[in-house]
Amino acid sequence: MSKAEISSSETRYVARVTEAKGGDGEAVAVGSFAKFLHEIVGDDARAAAQYARLLALFTEKHEPGLRAAQQQQNQQNGQQNGQQNGGGGGAKSDAAAALHPHLAGLCLYLASFAQFRSERQKDYDGAEDLYQRVLALDAKHPLALGNYAVLLHTVRKRYDDADRYYGAATEAHPRHASVWVKYGNFKKHVRRDYPGAEECYRRALAANATHPDALGNYAVLLHGSLQRYDDAEDLYRRAVEADPEHVNNLGNYALFLADVRAKPDEAESFYKRAIALDPAHANSLYNYAVMLDATRRDFARAEKFYRQAIAANPNHAFSHYNLAVLLEEAKKDFDGAEKHFELAIKANPRDALALGDAATFFKNVRKNYDRAEALFKASIDIDPTCASVLYNYGNLLKHVRRDDKAAEAMYLQAVEEDAQHVDAMGNLANLYAETGRDEEAGKLYKKACALVPGHEENRKNYAAWKKKKRRR
């Protein structure tokens, strides 16, 4: 909408609120105006004031009578109460609507206020209270059921309750594509139920074949989790055709083109489209930077986009981590690297790879061995299967702590996790050679050199070991 159209629309909304003042429709007019201010004007402060006015009108003027009328109706229907718990039951929507001529509008705008409270104000208790009050009046309200499930899923981490509400929402509204998409995301990210997630996305597309979120999220599932790349690309293309300005879909298709199809030129065009539409879209900025860094080797532009991603989201852990690695390896800016390693760990203290690489930085560059060891231990506690971290910690134990036994355990674990890790294999062979375990050393040297014949250090150490053994 143009500025003139928005201004004209706002005038009409204000007129409706004025005309409805004092009547049964006042709360609905106010709620409609609040939703317009939030979604179209983008004025959250004024939207919040109007939503607060809606809630006051509903609480004082409508809710007591609605609850009493519904309780009476439920008793007549042989029900003990009209409270919905997300698992079915409660009054039917058409029966509830008969209680008040504006009930549908009240529920819609109260549910919209709940979403506003959750997403914009971060008032999760207030949002949950509103969702429950809406569902007490209309147990099958799609926006309330679906968005309450999202709150329980993403904020409260009450996954069983979330599952129940998602199920109730899809049962009550089997043709509501957005609800199926949200349920699919829950099944994918929380339950790790990829077949279940795929079925949800299929149901969403059966309801709406051009739903951009359904197409995009289904494509990401096939791309990242199921590795069905041709099907994924078909869905990405359909998603971009359905909505050429959907930033997430543009960015995810770019990632697919870069990582799977190895088409950096095409990927770059989609990244540029996504960033032009939303210059503060941290994930697109980050993924574009990764491509510039790893594929183009354009470190100057990569650094620029990592920094833009961080400006858009100061807690974007991956951007801090990758920028730290770039600053350390490509620019030798060790102060900058240390800063961003620490920020990456602060943003995500459970990223085992970032912890491990930061540990190696503190060991090799800063010679801060206590800090390095603490980070190595934290990384291994989270993920004891990362061979490179195990190997680097083994080096610290061997060469700094002089603890051969502990170093041997790390090298052994590294080789167990990655049977091709010839660096760990070679260092373990060195340790065996130094401690007189010639048979074990010889087997490991031979194996490491057979795996990577061009590994100069292993070849040199193997030759020296054989020469020394002949002298004996």
Side-chain angles (χ1 to χ4, degrees):
M1 294 175 71
S2 67
K3 288 184 178 179
E5 290 172 327
I6 290 173
S7 178
S8 176
S9 295
E10 184 170 343
T11 300
R12 289 195 296 273
Y13 276 106
V14 171
R16 286 177 200 151
V17 170
T18 302
E19 290 169 9
K21 191 170 184 179
D24 284 345
E26 182 181 3
V28 170
V30 169
S32 176
F33 185 31
K35 196 169 189 287
F36 168 80
L37 289 170
H38 168 49
E39 295 181 358
I40 305 301
V41 180
D43 189 337
D44 284 356
R46 291 171 66 204
Q50 293 301 318
Y51 273 133
R53 183 179 169 192
L54 159 68
L55 182 57
L57 287 166
F58 172 72
T59 302
E60 295 167 11
K61 191 171 182 179
H62 302 291
E63 190 172 30
L66 282 167
R67 285 187 178 277
Q70 190 170 60
Q71 186 175 13
Q72 183 179 5
Q73 184 183 69
N74 289 340
Q75 288 171 347
Q76 291 172 352
N77 291 339
Q79 298 173 341
Q80 294 182 352
N81 60 67
Q83 181 68 37
Q84 165 70 313
N85 66 4
K92 291 183 179 179
S93 298
D94 55 352
L99 299 172
H100 193 288
H102 299 287
L103 181 66
L106 287 170
C107 287
L108 171 63
Y109 298 123
L110 288 167
S112 297
F113 185 21
Q115 186 175 4
F116 179 85
R117 272 184 165 177
S118 178
E119 295 178 359
R120 306 299 295 179
Q121 298 179 319
K122 308 303 179 187
D123 176 7
Y124 303 121
D125 292 340
E128 186 165 8
D129 173 67
L130 280 174
Y131 284 133
Q132 290 176 347
R133 288 162 80 175
V134 171
L135 292 169
L137 298 173
D138 181 354
K140 295 185 177 181
H141 195 277
L143 184 63
L145 281 171
N147 285 343
Y148 188 23
V150 171
L151 185 146
L152 293 168
H153 161 195
T154 60
V155 176
R156 299 301 197 197
K157 313 298 183 188
R158 285 161 44 194
Y159 297 132
D160 290 343
D161 288 340
D163 206 340
R164 198 157 53 246
Y165 274 93
Y166 280 129
T170 54
E171 182 180 351
H173 303 279
R175 300 291 297 172
H176 200 297
S178 293
V179 172
W180 281 112
V181 172
K182 291 170 184 174
Y183 200 11
N185 293 343
F186 172 83
K187 285 181 178 288
K188 176 190 172 189
H189 295 294
V190 175
R191 301 302 194 198
R192 306 296 186 202
D193 176 6
Y194 301 137
E198 182 171 12
E199 178 60 22
C200 287
Y201 296 140
R202 284 179 172 172
R203 294 289 295 270
L205 291 173
N208 181 354
T210 60
H211 193 284
D213 287 339
L215 290 163
N217 282 281
Y218 191 7
V220 169
L221 175 76
L222 296 176
H223 166 191
S225 302
L226 301 179
Q227 286 82 52
R228 285 162 40 196
Y229 297 131
D230 290 343
D231 291 339
E233 184 160 19
D234 176 64
L235 286 165
Y236 278 131
R237 286 174 175 166
R238 288 168 57 191
V240 170
E241 288 171 5
D243 184 355
E245 297 188 352
H246 194 295
V247 175
N248 274 344
N249 289 343
L250 290 168
N252 287 330
Y253 188 25
L255 179 64
F256 174 88
L257 290 168
D259 287 358
V260 176
R261 298 307 192 202
K263 295 180 177 179
D265 292 339
E266 289 185 43
E268 189 161 13
S269 71
F270 280 97
Y271 279 132
K272 287 180 176 178
R273 282 173 61 181
I275 293 166
L277 287 164
D278 184 357
H281 194 266
N283 283 347
S284 292
L285 292 163
Y286 163 73
N287 286 324
Y288 186 28
V290 170
M291 190 191 80
L292 292 169
D293 187 352
T295 303
R296 300 288 201 201
R297 312 301 288 170
D298 186 342
F299 302 126
R301 280 207 300 157
E303 180 182 353
K304 171 188 169 183
F305 282 101
Y306 283 136
R307 292 191 184 279
Q308 283 184 227
I310 291 166
N313 179 3
N315 291 316
H316 200 279
F318 291 148
S319 292
H320 284 297
Y321 164 65
N322 280 273
L323 178 56
V325 173
L326 183 151
L327 293 172
E328 178 193 358
E329 296 180 354
K331 297 192 69 176
K332 308 304 178 187
D333 176 1
F334 300 132
D335 290 342
E338 181 174 347
K339 172 186 173 182
H340 286 284
F341 273 129
E342 295 288 14
L343 287 169
I345 293 166
K346 182 179 178 182
N348 183 4
R350 295 197 59 78
D351 185 335
L353 183 60
L355 289 164
D357 281 357
T360 302
F361 170 83
F362 279 104
K363 168 183 165 287
N364 294 342
V365 176
R366 294 305 198 197
K367 312 301 182 186
N368 184 341
Y369 301 123
D370 291 341
R371 176 67 171 146
E373 185 162 20
L375 290 169
F376 277 131
K377 287 180 176 179
S379 176
I380 293 165
D381 282 346
I382 293 165
D383 180 8
T385 68
C386 184
S388 63
V389 174
L390 295 164
Y391 162 72
N392 283 307
Y393 186 29
N395 289 343
L396 182 144
L397 293 167
K398 175 75 173 80
H399 301 295
V400 176
R401 301 304 191 202
R402 307 296 181 186
D403 186 342
D404 286 353
K405 185 176 181 181
E408 179 182 352
M410 287 299 114
Y411 291 143
L412 281 168
Q413 195 173 342
V415 173
E416 183 178 337
E417 297 299 338
D418 180 1
Q420 308 292 312
H421 201 297
V422 293
D423 289 330
M425 209 173 291
N427 281 9
L428 183 57
N430 294 340
L431 189 152
Y432 286 155
E434 291 168 12
T435 54
R437 294 153 71 178
D438 285 338
E439 184 177 350
E440 293 167 281
K443 288 179 180 178
L444 277 174
Y445 279 134
K446 186 176 181 180
K447 183 176 181 181
C449 291
L451 284 168
V452 182
H455 195 293
E456 190 61 33
E457 187 173 355
N458 282 346
R459 285 179 59 200
K460 184 178 73 173
N461 289 334
Y462 189 22
W465 174 83
K466 287 193 286 187
K467 185 176 181 181
K468 186 176 180 180
K469 189 179 179 184
R470 283 196 297 271
R471 287 176 181 170
R472 292 179 195 161

mmCIF file of all heavy atoms in Angstrom, residues 143-170:
data_model
loop_
_atom_site.group_PDB
_atom_site.id
_atom_site.type_symbol
_atom_site.label_atom_id
_atom_site.label_comp_id
_atom_site.label_asym_id
_atom_site.label_seq_id
_atom_site.Cartn_x
_atom_site.Cartn_y
_atom_site.Cartn_z
ATOM 1 N N LEU A 143 -6.306 -19.848 14.731
ATOM 2 C CA LEU A 143 -5.170 -18.998 15.075
ATOM 3 C C LEU A 143 -4.729 -19.232 16.513
ATOM 4 O O LEU A 143 -3.533 -19.330 16.806
ATOM 5 C CB LEU A 143 -5.538 -17.521 14.863
ATOM 6 C CG LEU A 143 -4.410 -16.508 15.089
ATOM 7 C CD1 LEU A 143 -3.276 -16.727 14.100
ATOM 8 C CD2 LEU A 143 -4.943 -15.078 14.975
ATOM 9 N N ALA A 144 -5.699 -19.339 17.425
ATOM 10 C CA ALA A 144 -5.358 -19.555 18.838
ATOM 11 C C ALA A 144 -4.731 -20.924 19.051
ATOM 12 O O ALA A 144 -3.704 -21.050 19.730
ATOM 13 C CB ALA A 144 -6.597 -19.400 19.712
ATOM 14 N N LEU A 145 -5.324 -21.978 18.471
ATOM 15 C CA LEU A 145 -4.773 -23.316 18.627
ATOM 16 C C LEU A 145 -3.355 -23.408 18.060
ATOM 17 O O LEU A 145 -2.422 -23.882 18.713
ATOM 18 C CB LEU A 145 -5.662 -24.344 17.927
ATOM 19 C CG LEU A 145 -6.941 -24.796 18.636
ATOM 20 C CD1 LEU A 145 -7.789 -25.632 17.688
ATOM 21 C CD2 LEU A 145 -6.614 -25.593 19.888
ATOM 22 N N GLY A 146 -3.199 -22.945 16.820
ATOM 23 C CA GLY A 146 -1.904 -23.073 16.157
ATOM 24 C C GLY A 146 -0.819 -22.240 16.812
ATOM 25 O O GLY A 146 0.297 -22.717 17.052
ATOM 26 N N ASN A 147 -1.130 -20.990 17.137
ATOM 27 C CA ASN A 147 -0.108 -20.117 17.709
ATOM 28 C C ASN A 147 0.170 -20.430 19.174
ATOM 29 O O ASN A 147 1.291 -20.215 19.659
ATOM 30 C CB ASN A 147 -0.495 -18.651 17.531
ATOM 31 C CG ASN A 147 -0.290 -18.189 16.102
ATOM 32 O OD1 ASN A 147 0.412 -18.824 15.326
ATOM 33 N ND2 ASN A 147 -0.925 -17.097 15.732
ATOM 34 N N TYR A 148 -0.837 -20.927 19.892
ATOM 35 C CA TYR A 148 -0.572 -21.369 21.261
ATOM 36 C C TYR A 148 0.356 -22.576 21.228
ATOM 37 O O TYR A 148 1.295 -22.690 22.039
ATOM 38 C CB TYR A 148 -1.877 -21.698 21.973
ATOM 39 C CG TYR A 148 -1.740 -21.983 23.463
ATOM 40 C CD1 TYR A 148 -0.661 -21.511 24.205
ATOM 41 C CD2 TYR A 148 -2.701 -22.733 24.126
ATOM 42 C CE1 TYR A 148 -0.540 -21.762 25.559
ATOM 43 C CE2 TYR A 148 -2.590 -22.991 25.492
ATOM 44 C CZ TYR A 148 -1.512 -22.515 26.197
ATOM 45 O OH TYR A 148 -1.391 -22.773 27.545
ATOM 46 N N ALA A 149 0.147 -23.469 20.271
ATOM 47 C CA ALA A 149 1.048 -24.611 20.117
ATOM 48 C C ALA A 149 2.477 -24.133 19.846
ATOM 49 O O ALA A 149 3.448 -24.675 20.397
ATOM 50 C CB ALA A 149 0.570 -25.516 18.985
ATOM 51 N N VAL A 150 2.618 -23.102 19.002
ATOM 52 C CA VAL A 150 3.955 -22.559 18.704
ATOM 53 C C VAL A 150 4.605 -22.003 19.966
ATOM 54 O O VAL A 150 5.794 -22.222 20.218
ATOM 55 C CB VAL A 150 3.859 -21.466 17.613
ATOM 56 C CG1 VAL A 150 5.200 -20.747 17.461
ATOM 57 C CG2 VAL A 150 3.448 -22.078 16.284
ATOM 58 N N LEU A 151 3.842 -21.287 20.780
ATOM 59 C CA LEU A 151 4.384 -20.744 22.027
ATOM 60 C C LEU A 151 4.836 -21.867 22.965
ATOM 61 O O LEU A 151 5.928 -21.814 23.543
ATOM 62 C CB LEU A 151 3.342 -19.850 22.707
ATOM 63 C CG LEU A 151 3.792 -19.110 23.964
ATOM 64 C CD1 LEU A 151 3.110 -17.752 24.056
ATOM 65 C CD2 LEU A 151 3.477 -19.901 25.237
ATOM 66 N N LEU A 152 3.991 -22.888 23.095
ATOM 67 C CA LEU A 152 4.351 -24.026 23.951
ATOM 68 C C LEU A 152 5.588 -24.747 23.423
ATOM 69 O O LEU A 152 6.420 -25.233 24.194
ATOM 70 C CB LEU A 152 3.173 -24.999 24.037
ATOM 71 C CG LEU A 152 1.935 -24.484 24.774
ATOM 72 C CD1 LEU A 152 0.753 -25.426 24.529
ATOM 73 C CD2 LEU A 152 2.197 -24.354 26.266
ATOM 74 N N HIS A 153 5.715 -24.780 22.110
ATOM 75 C CA HIS A 153 6.827 -25.454 21.436
ATOM 76 C C HIS A 153 8.119 -24.645 21.563
ATOM 77 O O HIS A 153 9.134 -25.138 22.069
ATOM 78 C CB HIS A 153 6.415 -25.668 19.973
ATOM 79 C CG HIS A 153 7.503 -25.916 19.006
ATOM 80 N ND1 HIS A 153 7.297 -25.829 17.633
ATOM 81 C CD2 HIS A 153 8.821 -26.221 19.138
ATOM 82 C CE1 HIS A 153 8.415 -26.092 17.008
ATOM 83 N NE2 HIS A 153 9.357 -26.319 17.885
ATOM 84 N N THR A 154 8.093 -23.379 21.133
ATOM 85 C CA THR A 154 9.334 -22.624 20.981
ATOM 86 C C THR A 154 9.756 -21.872 22.239
ATOM 87 O O THR A 154 10.948 -21.618 22.435
ATOM 88 C CB THR A 154 9.213 -21.617 19.827
ATOM 89 O OG1 THR A 154 8.145 -20.703 20.106
ATOM 90 C CG2 THR A 154 8.936 -22.326 18.512
ATOM 91 N N VAL A 155 8.792 -21.513 23.085
ATOM 92 C CA VAL A 155 9.109 -20.707 24.274
ATOM 93 C C VAL A 155 9.048 -21.549 25.547
ATOM 94 O O VAL A 155 10.006 -21.606 26.319
ATOM 95 C CB VAL A 155 8.161 -19.500 24.381
ATOM 96 C CG1 VAL A 155 8.434 -18.713 25.665
ATOM 97 C CG2 VAL A 155 8.294 -18.597 23.161
ATOM 98 N N ARG A 156 7.927 -22.218 25.753
ATOM 99 C CA ARG A 156 7.752 -22.962 27.001
ATOM 100 C C ARG A 156 8.490 -24.295 27.013
ATOM 101 O O ARG A 156 8.751 -24.848 28.084
ATOM 102 C CB ARG A 156 6.261 -23.213 27.246
ATOM 103 C CG ARG A 156 5.391 -21.964 27.384
ATOM 104 C CD ARG A 156 5.839 -21.082 28.510
ATOM 105 N NE ARG A 156 4.801 -20.123 28.889
ATOM 106 C CZ ARG A 156 5.017 -19.042 29.608
ATOM 107 N NH1 ARG A 156 6.250 -18.774 30.036
ATOM 108 N NH2 ARG A 156 4.035 -18.215 29.911
ATOM 109 N N LYS A 157 8.784 -24.828 25.820
ATOM 110 C CA LYS A 157 9.428 -26.141 25.697
ATOM 111 C C LYS A 157 8.576 -27.240 26.336
ATOM 112 O O LYS A 157 9.102 -28.257 26.782
ATOM 113 C CB LYS A 157 10.832 -26.162 26.313
ATOM 114 C CG LYS A 157 11.716 -24.986 25.911
ATOM 115 C CD LYS A 157 11.986 -24.919 24.430
ATOM 116 C CE LYS A 157 12.922 -23.772 24.088
ATOM 117 N NZ LYS A 157 13.061 -23.555 22.629
ATOM 118 N N ARG A 158 7.277 -27.036 26.342
ATOM 119 C CA ARG A 158 6.348 -28.063 26.843
ATOM 120 C C ARG A 158 5.884 -28.858 25.617
ATOM 121 O O ARG A 158 4.815 -28.631 25.055
ATOM 122 C CB ARG A 158 5.179 -27.398 27.578
ATOM 123 C CG ARG A 158 5.550 -26.871 28.948
ATOM 124 C CD ARG A 158 4.600 -25.836 29.505
ATOM 125 N NE ARG A 158 3.187 -26.156 29.336
ATOM 126 C CZ ARG A 158 2.209 -25.264 29.516
ATOM 127 N NH1 ARG A 158 2.502 -24.017 29.875
ATOM 128 N NH2 ARG A 158 0.956 -25.607 29.346
ATOM 129 N N TYR A 159 6.749 -29.786 25.206
ATOM 130 C CA TYR A 159 6.569 -30.401 23.898
ATOM 131 C C TYR A 159 5.338 -31.300 23.815
ATOM 132 O O TYR A 159 4.672 -31.347 22.770
ATOM 133 C CB TYR A 159 7.838 -31.160 23.514
ATOM 134 C CG TYR A 159 9.040 -30.264 23.375
ATOM 135 C CD1 TYR A 159 10.252 -30.590 23.983
ATOM 136 C CD2 TYR A 159 8.972 -29.081 22.645
ATOM 137 C CE1 TYR A 159 11.363 -29.768 23.857
ATOM 138 C CE2 TYR A 159 10.076 -28.251 22.522
ATOM 139 C CZ TYR A 159 11.267 -28.598 23.126
ATOM 140 O OH TYR A 159 12.357 -27.783 23.009
ATOM 141 N N ASP A 160 5.029 -32.025 24.861
ATOM 142 C CA ASP A 160 3.844 -32.883 24.806
ATOM 143 C C ASP A 160 2.576 -32.041 24.699
ATOM 144 O O ASP A 160 1.657 -32.384 23.947
ATOM 145 C CB ASP A 160 3.788 -33.798 26.035
ATOM 146 C CG ASP A 160 4.876 -34.863 26.020
ATOM 147 O OD1 ASP A 160 5.453 -35.107 24.936
ATOM 148 O OD2 ASP A 160 5.154 -35.439 27.085
ATOM 149 N N ASP A 161 2.522 -30.934 25.449
ATOM 150 C CA ASP A 161 1.366 -30.035 25.336
ATOM 151 C C ASP A 161 1.297 -29.427 23.941
ATOM 152 O O ASP A 161 0.220 -29.319 23.347
ATOM 153 C CB ASP A 161 1.458 -28.919 26.384
ATOM 154 C CG ASP A 161 1.199 -29.408 27.795
ATOM 155 O OD1 ASP A 161 0.585 -30.488 27.945
ATOM 156 O OD2 ASP A 161 1.603 -28.730 28.749
ATOM 157 N N ALA A 162 2.449 -29.015 23.419
ATOM 158 C CA ALA A 162 2.479 -28.443 22.071
ATOM 159 C C ALA A 162 1.970 -29.453 21.047
ATOM 160 O O ALA A 162 1.164 -29.111 20.167
ATOM 161 C CB ALA A 162 3.896 -28.007 21.717
ATOM 162 N N ASP A 163 2.428 -30.683 21.168
ATOM 163 C CA ASP A 163 1.999 -31.731 20.240
ATOM 164 C C ASP A 163 0.488 -31.900 20.283
ATOM 165 O O ASP A 163 -0.185 -32.046 19.252
ATOM 166 C CB ASP A 163 2.694 -33.046 20.613
ATOM 167 C CG ASP A 163 2.855 -33.993 19.442
ATOM 168 O OD1 ASP A 163 2.132 -33.843 18.440
ATOM 169 O OD2 ASP A 163 3.702 -34.885 19.533
ATOM 170 N N ARG A 164 -0.056 -31.845 21.494
ATOM 171 C CA ARG A 164 -1.503 -32.012 21.659
ATOM 172 C C ARG A 164 -2.274 -30.867 20.983
ATOM 173 O O ARG A 164 -3.277 -31.076 20.325
ATOM 174 C CB ARG A 164 -1.822 -32.084 23.148
ATOM 175 C CG ARG A 164 -3.177 -32.684 23.475
ATOM 176 C CD ARG A 164 -3.226 -33.232 24.890
ATOM 177 N NE ARG A 164 -2.823 -32.262 25.895
ATOM 178 C CZ ARG A 164 -1.741 -32.355 26.642
ATOM 179 N NH1 ARG A 164 -0.913 -33.382 26.496
ATOM 180 N NH2 ARG A 164 -1.450 -31.452 27.555
ATOM 181 N N TYR A 165 -1.779 -29.643 21.160
ATOM 182 C CA TYR A 165 -2.464 -28.501 20.539
ATOM 183 C C TYR A 165 -2.310 -28.499 19.027
ATOM 184 O O TYR A 165 -3.244 -28.163 18.303
ATOM 185 C CB TYR A 165 -1.948 -27.192 21.142
ATOM 186 C CG TYR A 165 -2.684 -26.802 22.401
ATOM 187 C CD1 TYR A 165 -2.209 -27.171 23.656
ATOM 188 C CD2 TYR A 165 -3.870 -26.083 22.341
ATOM 189 C CE1 TYR A 165 -2.877 -26.830 24.808
ATOM 190 C CE2 TYR A 165 -4.558 -25.738 23.495
ATOM 191 C CZ TYR A 165 -4.058 -26.115 24.724
ATOM 192 O OH TYR A 165 -4.741 -25.780 25.864
ATOM 193 N N TYR A 166 -1.117 -28.839 18.526
ATOM 194 C CA TYR A 166 -0.963 -28.960 17.074
ATOM 195 C C TYR A 166 -1.941 -30.001 16.527
ATOM 196 O O TYR A 166 -2.587 -29.791 15.488
ATOM 197 C CB TYR A 166 0.463 -29.386 16.721
ATOM 198 C CG TYR A 166 1.500 -28.295 16.732
ATOM 199 C CD1 TYR A 166 2.690 -28.451 17.449
ATOM 200 C CD2 TYR A 166 1.328 -27.123 16.003
ATOM 201 C CE1 TYR A 166 3.669 -27.461 17.448
ATOM 202 C CE2 TYR A 166 2.303 -26.137 15.995
ATOM 203 C CZ TYR A 166 3.472 -26.308 16.721
ATOM 204 O OH TYR A 166 4.438 -25.333 16.717
ATOM 205 N N GLY A 167 -2.032 -31.131 17.218
ATOM 206 C CA GLY A 167 -2.947 -32.174 16.779
ATOM 207 C C GLY A 167 -4.386 -31.705 16.779
ATOM 208 O O GLY A 167 -5.159 -31.986 15.843
ATOM 209 N N ALA A 168 -4.794 -30.972 17.830
ATOM 210 C CA ALA A 168 -6.154 -30.451 17.901
ATOM 211 C C ALA A 168 -6.416 -29.459 16.769
ATOM 212 O O ALA A 168 -7.495 -29.444 16.170
ATOM 213 C CB ALA A 168 -6.389 -29.780 19.249
ATOM 214 N N ALA A 169 -5.407 -28.630 16.464
ATOM 215 C CA ALA A 169 -5.566 -27.632 15.408
ATOM 216 C C ALA A 169 -5.741 -28.283 14.049
ATOM 217 O O ALA A 169 -6.612 -27.893 13.254
ATOM 218 C CB ALA A 169 -4.364 -26.692 15.391
ATOM 219 N N THR A 170 -4.929 -29.304 13.748
ATOM 220 C CA THR A 170 -5.033 -29.956 12.441
ATOM 221 C C THR A 170 -6.296 -30.809 12.345
ATOM 222 O O THR A 170 -6.879 -30.940 11.258
ATOM 223 C CB THR A 170 -3.798 -30.829 12.165
ATOM 224 O OG1 THR A 170 -3.596 -31.747 13.255
ATOM 225 C CG2 THR A 170 -2.558 -29.978 12.003
#
